Amino acid sequence: MEKQKINLPKILDKRGNLSFFEYPNQLPFEIARTYWIYDVPGGEVRGSHAFREQQEFIVALSGSFDVVLNDGENEERFSLNRSYDGLYIPKMYWRKLENFSTNSVALLVSDRSYDEADYIRDFEEFKILKNG
């Protein structure tokens, strides 16, 4: 499956709306880890790495931010600002999160537990591995 924005179900209710994701209906992988990023100071960037094997799905639970993806040749920006839209990122995409609004919360789910060996933290090394 290629990177893509996924529109999540939105159940409208006068008491408040509800959205969700589950495998295999919205996610192409089973969830092994969940984490969130919040209280990001103005101008800071999160991420700036790629994963050898890990896949992720990112949702802006609150506020907004941009996800910038690079496949080793081309760069693409996705603005996340709705809690019913998420971004699926397959392995081997360089990713960074930036332009966080005040009080934004980024929810990330992954198909793998944390493994430092899976991270590629040098962009030049990433390009060699991706295009080599």
Side-chain angles (χ1 to χ4, degrees):
M1 184 175 202
E2 190 62 29
K3 69 181 177 329
Q4 66 175 310
K5 222 168 182 183
I6 296 173
N7 204 335
L8 300 173
K10 185 176 179 184
I11 300 170
L12 303 176
D13 189 305
K14 63 183 177 184
R15 300 166 299 165
N17 299 334
L18 182 146
S19 289
F20 63 91
F21 51 83
E22 58 190 17
Y23 168 81
N25 296 324
Q26 291 78 32
L27 295 184
F29 60 82
E30 292 188 53
I31 298 169
R33 179 169 65 123
T34 302
Y35 60 101
W36 46 100
I37 299 171
Y38 56 97
D39 292 343
V40 178
E44 288 296 323
V45 174
R46 296 297 312 246
S48 295
H49 59 263
F51 294 109
R52 287 175 169 80
E53 297 298 329
Q54 180 172 291
Q55 304 173 77
E56 284 187 327
F57 183 70
I58 304 175
V59 177
L61 289 184
S62 178
S64 64
F65 53 88
D66 294 337
V67 180
V68 181
L69 297 181
N70 190 305
D71 66 3
E73 294 180 10
N74 301 302
E75 192 167 273
E76 191 171 0
R77 177 178 302 272
F78 296 86
S79 293
L80 296 180
N81 58 13
R82 301 277 186 242
S83 57
Y84 52 83
D85 283 332
L87 179 63
Y88 166 67
I89 307 173
K91 67 181 182 177
M92 291 302 290
Y93 274 86
W94 189 266
R95 82 269 331 273
K96 63 182 177 178
L97 283 66
E98 60 185 25
N99 296 327
F100 286 86
S101 69
T102 302
N103 296 324
S104 60
V105 178
L107 174 69
L108 297 89
V109 296
S110 163
D111 69 334
R112 295 177 181 265
S113 297
Y114 176 80
D115 177 6
E116 180 60 33
D118 194 42
Y119 283 73
I120 305 167
R121 298 189 184 274
D122 178 86
F123 187 66
E124 294 306 315
E125 177 188 358
F126 163 74
K127 287 196 307 187
I128 291 168
L129 290 170
K130 181 76 178 197
N131 300 320

